[in-house]
Amino acid sequence: MGDMVIVNCTVVDGRACEGTGPVPDAAVLVQGERVAAVGPREQVLRRAGDLRRVDLGGAYLTPGLVNMHTHLSLSLPGRGGDGVKDMGPHDLALYMADGARRTLACGVTTVRCVAEKDHADFALRRAIEAGRAAGPRIFTAGRALVSTGGHGHEGTDTLECDGPDGFRRGARSQIKAGADLIKVMISGGIAGEHERMDTPQLFPDEMAAVLDTAHAWGRKVTAHAGPAPAIAQAVELGLDCVEHGYELTPEVAAAMAARGTALVPTLLVTRCASFFDELGVPEWMRARSLAAGPRHLAGYAMALAAGVTVLLGSDMPPFWPFEGTNATVRELEHMSEAGLGPAAALRAGTLGPARWLGADADIGTVEPGRYADLIAMDADPLASASAFRSVRWVMKGGEIVRDDPPGAPR
């Protein structure tokens, strides 16, 4: 750490969709944890004086990625998930800390956790903030709220609730623990053996109780949701974000756009057969996931057509090696290739999430005053989302945490 000036780079961020073009032959002045100046090289160097220079060798410099659907304690049905479920609290904490370190190294400098076991996410966040562990900035929902027997009820990453009073208590309990947002399961999903993906799991008064309570405390609510009727009902009541949206319709997508409800599509979860094979998930889950793929992709296209704000989220662990890259980058590629395009994909992975989190004064762009959460890559992210496969340099809060030489194997 320490003050420095980053040179020999082209600065690009999500504001490219809003008319702010790349800055070629740029320099970035970093003072402490934050960016102090950005602009043409000579202009910034005059201000920087004789500060240490970090030469990026012609790389493209962007904000660090923000993964909005993260489970560092993920345990799907099958032998891989069983190994995580069987961990004691100390093993689990170390497992999650290793995942956080690997997540940061692949260029994800912020995550939104949307259901973690035993509130270990809060301890991990404290350790990262204190400098005792390496990892991204963590925004977390704590344990997700679920009806008795509902989606994900089997694990310690959810809290079973029933009735409006039960869901109010559930929301308050997560806020008491330190949750930045609330996650609620309003339908069935891929990983629930004794449910369908279109099984509704909350009554309107239960959903309203969650939303009213969270919003009163200044927290947003995101919902695991597949079927259009359940999503429509929740959007009407004021839902802030939909996870997955497997079966969207044009009408529901239009309602989401009109009310400002965002979508984290997690396209990977219906096109990741090799990941399921690696974890040994049961055949019923594998078949359900892959069968939902075409409809999932169609719903995503409907959301784009309606103007819904879409945000990057992998559901798979952000760092997981997958199809020649990591899960975060592969998800961003799917989002771009399925109609979003590279510039908007960059925004969906940086500035868009920062705005949803209410953190855009601190993260999401390369601007003075923001944290120096920066990543560098050899290819142009405005030409292709696959440019993020070439990430070779990562900085978080002014500290360089990865520095591969140009051309090194990724």
Side-chain angles (χ1 to χ4, degrees):
M1 293 187 64
D3 296 354
M4 68 189 77
V5 59
I6 302 165
V7 298
N8 198 5
C9 60
T10 296
V11 173
V12 184
D13 67 27
R15 294 173 298 162
C17 292
E18 301 167 2
T20 300
V23 182
D25 193 21
V28 179
L29 174 61
V30 176
Q31 293 181 328
E33 292 186 315
R34 296 185 182 260
V35 173
V38 183
R41 180 203 295 241
E42 294 306 318
Q43 175 183 313
V44 174
L45 287 180
R46 282 196 294 272
R47 177 173 172 180
D50 60 356
L51 284 179
R52 176 168 69 105
R53 297 188 185 185
V54 175
D55 191 323
L56 292 183
Y60 291 84
L61 185 74
T62 76
L65 292 172
V66 183
N67 192 314
M68 292 284 278
H69 194 119
T70 298
H71 302 284
L72 292 171
S73 57
L74 181 69
S75 57
L76 296 175
R79 64 176 184 274
D82 289 344
V84 178
K85 289 177 184 176
D86 292 341
M87 289 180 180
H90 309 301
D91 295 311
L92 180 67
L94 291 170
Y95 176 82
M96 292 175 64
D98 179 63
R101 175 188 59 81
R102 295 169 69 184
T103 293
L104 179 59
C106 72
V108 177
T109 55
T110 301
V111 296
R112 187 186 68 163
C113 295
V114 286
E116 301 291 1
K117 292 178 174 32
D118 303 325
H119 281 175
D121 42 325
F122 298 112
L124 177 60
R125 179 171 65 184
R126 290 191 295 269
I128 291 171
E129 290 175 349
R132 296 191 299 270
R137 303 184 194 279
I138 294 178
F139 293 80
T140 185
R143 298 171 72 183
L145 307 184
V146 56
S147 62
T148 295
H151 185 72
H153 73 277
E154 307 92 343
T156 59
D157 51 358
T158 58
L159 178 65
E160 288 183 305
C161 309
D162 287 297
D165 288 346
F167 276 95
R168 285 192 191 96
R169 283 193 295 271
R172 287 171 178 155
S173 72
Q174 300 316 295
I175 294 168
K176 177 182 177 181
D180 306 288
L181 65 143
I182 298 297
K183 165 84 175 291
V184 61
M185 310 294 204
I186 68 173
S187 77
I190 287 171
E193 183 175 7
H194 303 296
E195 64 190 23
R196 299 189 312 272
M197 287 176 61
D198 62 354
T199 302
Q201 296 188 353
L202 262 70
F203 291 109
D205 58 350
E206 294 174 321
M207 188 71 225
V210 174
L211 289 162
D212 290 348
T213 303
H215 290 167
W217 284 81
R219 268 65 167 186
K220 290 182 176 179
V221 178
T222 194
H224 163 99
I231 296 171
Q233 183 181 85
V235 169
E236 179 67 24
L237 291 169
L239 181 66
D240 301 294
C241 188
V242 170
E243 308 297 310
H244 313 303
Y246 299 122
E247 299 176 354
L248 288 176
T249 64
E251 294 76 17
V252 173
M256 291 173 63
R259 289 182 171 267
T261 307
L263 172 67
V264 180
T266 67
L267 297 175
L268 273 182
V269 301
T270 56
R271 39 196 40 81
C272 61
S274 62
F275 174 66
F276 289 150
D277 292 344
E278 185 177 353
L279 295 185
V281 306
E283 181 54 33
W284 62 261
M285 180 179 168
R286 188 180 192 278
R288 183 185 296 178
S289 166
L290 300 182
R295 185 70 185 82
H296 190 188
L297 204 60
Y300 173 69
M302 294 171 195
L304 294 183
V308 173
T309 296
V310 296
L311 307 172
L312 170 65
S314 61
D315 204 347
M316 289 170 57
F319 59 85
W320 204 270
F322 185 68
E323 296 184 349
T325 182
N326 58 70
T328 302
V329 172
R330 192 69 188 99
E331 175 68 21
L332 199 62
E333 288 176 332
H334 278 306
M335 292 175 71
S336 178
E337 293 161 5
L340 190 58
L346 173 59
R347 180 173 59 186
T350 54
L351 180 56
R355 287 173 172 166
W356 193 94
L357 292 165
D360 48 317
D362 287 321
I363 62 172
T365 56
V366 187
E367 289 185 89
R370 275 57 173 181
Y371 282 120
D373 293 357
L374 308 169
I375 60 177
M377 64 208 74
D378 292 322
D380 182 359
L382 295 181
S384 171
S386 295
F388 287 95
R389 289 179 176 242
S390 65
V391 168
R392 58 175 171 83
W393 185 91
V394 179
M395 168 181 279
K396 181 196 166 196
E399 179 179 4
I400 299 170
V401 296
R402 177 179 171 186
D403 188 5
D404 301 344
R410 302 287 182 259

